[in-house]
Amino acid sequence: MTSTSLKKIIVIGAGPAGLMAAERAVDAGFAVDVYDAMPSVGRKFLLAGKSGMNLTHAEAHSDLLERYSNSSLQLRAALDAFPAQAICDWASSLGVATFVGSSKRVFPVDMKAAPLLRAWLHRLRVSGVNFFMRHKWQGWTEEGHIFQTSEGAKIVHADACIYAFGGASWPRLGSDGAWLSPFQAQNLTVEPLTASNCGFELAWSDYFKQHFAGRPLTSVCASVVSSSGIGSKRQGQFVITDTGVEGSLIYALSATIRRQIELAGYCELQIDLLPGRDLSRVQKELSMPRGSRSLSSHLRSKLGLHAIHTALIHECLRPEQIQDTDQLALALKALPIKLLRARPIEEAISSAGGLQWSELDERFMLKKKPGHFCAGEMLNWDAPTGGYLLTACFATGVAAGQGAIAWLKE
Ligand SMILES: Cc1cc2nc3c(=O)[nH]c(=O)nc-3n(C[C@H](O)[C@H](O)[C@H](O)COP(=O)(O)OP(=O)(O)OC[C@H]3O[C@@H](n4cnc5c(N)ncnc54)[C@H](O)[C@@H]3O)c2cc1C
């Protein structure tokens, strides 16, 4: 049988989710064409490799499922079928060995994305996948899919289609959320795409910005104060920026921070600057005679705090709170930082929101459009950094690919 007599599956979006779906489909013997708006594939995947490609996470599978909070249930079958170990095996099948870092994050040995993507694309091409770059999907017509290309509009027909448009962070890499309008025009419900795993803004003084922007605060605990009390406590590090705060500790809390800002107009973050010492010990150390020493050197000698901590205390507390030993001790264990808004989605690592789960059946097929499947970050799930984003993209790519295969075989 020639490939033209095979049933054709098209995949739109050549990120990790789309490529994973394409691989399933071609391995099952279908003709597969991959379309993407950009001149080359996997641009965000490559960017992810710049700061150390974190492919997945080696914690217990039940813990990993919990990272998808509101969407654990909907993602469960896909993640069960393609868990963290399957991702490592898949990377290994491409000649890329992985290792588990100290925080149980899983990385390729060279930490890079490019060799993995290169080997993957080679295997896909050899298997028969065709790539059509600079094809921007615009929506549907009676005849099929309409793409904008350098030669004008092009109509493409397929037996099944898998959409993997991504979210809307870093839009210059291709995923710009333009798919939302055609989807909404077909009465497909989409939650607005909002910044996730992003920095948050607050108004630092000029002095603080000039001296401490770019500096990290390591080994601290952060908790979000919400109307129902203090929750979501995490330990880690974050970075002071010109406009506020960013970094892994903030990203881990970003879903909760975002919700709290939506509810109250701001979010109070409490920072425990001394997680290794309890309040009574901090009080005792602070009460020791200070003599002629400045507060800064007292905090350094008694509690090991540095200039950045002292400056942060001055940013966040009133002078009378700093003078009062009890209030200061309390603040060192729970320094209130008022976050006002998320940084723009253009800078975020990922986006939350996307196509509502109720639009999909268990095969990741649109209930209103049989034969049309969706995968990856365009779906309405959210997760912190730590390899969870790519894990869900790979797993939903596999699930949508399998879904399309099963549907075409029916
Ligand atoms: C700086 C940074 C670092 C990251 N690091 C990590 C990490 O270490 N670990 C991790 O797990 N995750 C990481 N991520 C997140 C991860 O890269 C994304 O979650 C993942 O790439 C999403 O995969 P996707 O296939 O759903 O979408 P994308 O990778 O965004 O791919 C979507 C594709 O669809 C194409 N497309 C969009 N609209 C159209 C259209 N209308 N027509 C045609 N084509 C279209 C785009 O051009 C793009 O190629 C990082 C992200 C960033 C920004």
Side-chain angles (χ1 to χ4, degrees):
M1 196 160 37
T2 65
S3 69
T4 46
S5 63
L6 291 176
K7 286 205 167 150
K8 176 164 284 183
I9 297 180
I10 64 168
V11 175
I12 312 176
L19 294 180
M20 206 44 112
E23 185 154 45
R24 293 287 136 165
V26 79
D27 286 352
F30 290 92
V32 180
D33 291 345
V34 173
Y35 290 85
D36 200 289
M38 299 302 282
S40 60
V41 306
R43 292 198 163 197
K44 197 178 280 183
F45 188 70
L46 286 173
L47 178 74
K50 288 236 159 104
S51 48
M53 156 122 306
N54 182 191
L55 277 175
T56 185
H57 204 286
E59 68 192 344
H61 186 62
S62 53
D63 293 338
L64 182 137
L65 287 174
E66 290 302 310
R67 305 295 173 177
Y68 302 93
S69 45
N70 296 342
S71 299
S72 308
L73 205 62
Q74 291 88 344
L75 284 168
R76 186 181 185 130
L79 291 165
D80 285 353
F82 203 72
Q85 187 55 50
I87 295 173
C88 298
D89 294 344
W90 164 81
S92 162
S93 75
L94 288 165
V96 174
T98 51
F99 75 97
V100 180
S102 54
S103 56
K104 290 202 174 172
R105 292 174 180 220
V106 179
F107 303 91
V109 168
D110 63 3
M111 306 288 281
K112 293 182 184 151
L116 183 60
L117 185 62
R118 234 185 347 260
W120 196 9
L121 288 178
H122 177 71
R123 187 161 81 187
L124 288 170
R125 285 201 177 100
V126 169
S127 308
V129 175
N130 299 306
F131 288 90
F132 298 86
M133 296 293 104
R134 294 191 165 96
H135 278 64
K136 177 135 191 172
W137 183 83
Q138 309 253 274
W140 299 274
T141 67
E142 299 269 298
E143 294 82 41
H145 300 271
I146 180 154
F147 287 91
Q148 182 191 39
T149 75
S150 48
E151 282 105 46
K154 183 165 154 185
I155 307 285
V156 173
H157 176 76
D159 297 296
C161 178
I162 299 165
Y163 306 100
F165 295 120
S169 73
W170 284 76
R172 65 178 183 273
L173 301 178
S175 42
D176 59 4
W179 57 273
L180 258 76
S181 306
F183 268 59
Q184 284 165 331
Q186 298 274 320
N187 287 326
L188 293 163
T189 319
V190 184
E191 291 296 321
L193 297 173
T194 53
S196 185
N197 290 301
C198 58
F200 287 87
E201 295 183 4
L202 69 149
W204 297 129
S205 68
D206 288 343
Y207 172 85
F208 191 69
K209 270 193 286 199
Q210 274 161 22
H211 289 81
F212 299 104
R215 300 266 300 272
L217 274 148
T218 53
S219 305
V220 294
C221 266
S223 29
V224 173
V225 183
S226 70
S227 33
S228 52
I230 296 176
S232 309
K233 193 169 185 168
R234 291 283 162 80
Q235 185 155 3
Q237 74 166 44
F238 68 92
V239 176
I240 304 294
T241 66
D242 264 345
T243 51
V245 288
E246 66 176 27
S248 54
L249 183 56
I250 303 298
Y251 301 159
L253 294 168
S254 69
T256 322
I257 297 173
R258 208 178 48 239
R259 264 195 304 278
Q260 189 53 29
I261 291 177
E262 273 163 25
L263 279 173
Y266 71 95
C267 172
E268 186 181 307
L269 205 60
Q270 286 190 350
I271 308 293
D272 182 348
L273 295 174
L274 296 162
R277 299 171 206 227
D278 62 23
L279 179 62
S280 59
R281 197 166 147 211
V282 174
Q283 273 165 335
K284 198 170 144 206
E285 296 290 348
L286 270 185
S287 313
M288 305 285 257
R290 187 165 127 190
S292 58
R293 272 187 312 200
S294 67
L295 175 68
S296 169
S297 55
H298 190 54
L299 291 175
R300 187 166 53 246
S301 68
K302 294 293 163 204
L303 294 163
L305 294 174
H306 301 290
I308 188 168
H309 299 110
T310 312
L312 189 62
I313 291 162
H314 282 286
E315 282 291 301
C316 301
L317 298 183
R318 294 189 306 277
E320 61 272 23
Q321 291 176 294
I322 299 173
Q323 297 311 323
D324 182 308
T325 303
D326 285 341
Q327 286 195 56
L328 180 58
L330 277 171
L332 291 178
K333 294 294 292 170
L335 193 67
I337 296 188
K338 195 172 169 183
L339 304 177
L340 302 176
R341 66 194 79 82
R343 289 293 296 159
I345 196 164
E346 287 76 11
E347 294 174 16
I349 286 185
S350 62
S351 55
L355 183 74
Q356 269 194 4
W357 287 106
S358 57
E359 298 290 356
L360 294 176
D361 71 8
E362 67 291 346
R363 290 178 293 192
F364 287 75
M365 184 166 82
L366 291 171
K367 291 177 191 163
K368 291 173 189 150
K369 286 179 102 43
H372 298 249
F373 299 78
C374 299
E377 207 182 303
M378 66 176 287
L379 303 178
N380 186 19
W381 54 267
D382 191 16
T385 54
Y388 306 108
L389 300 165
L390 282 174
T391 299
C393 291
F394 289 137
T396 55
V398 168
Q402 293 293 142
I405 295 164
W407 185 76
L408 284 175
K409 283 187 173 167
E410 259 169 24

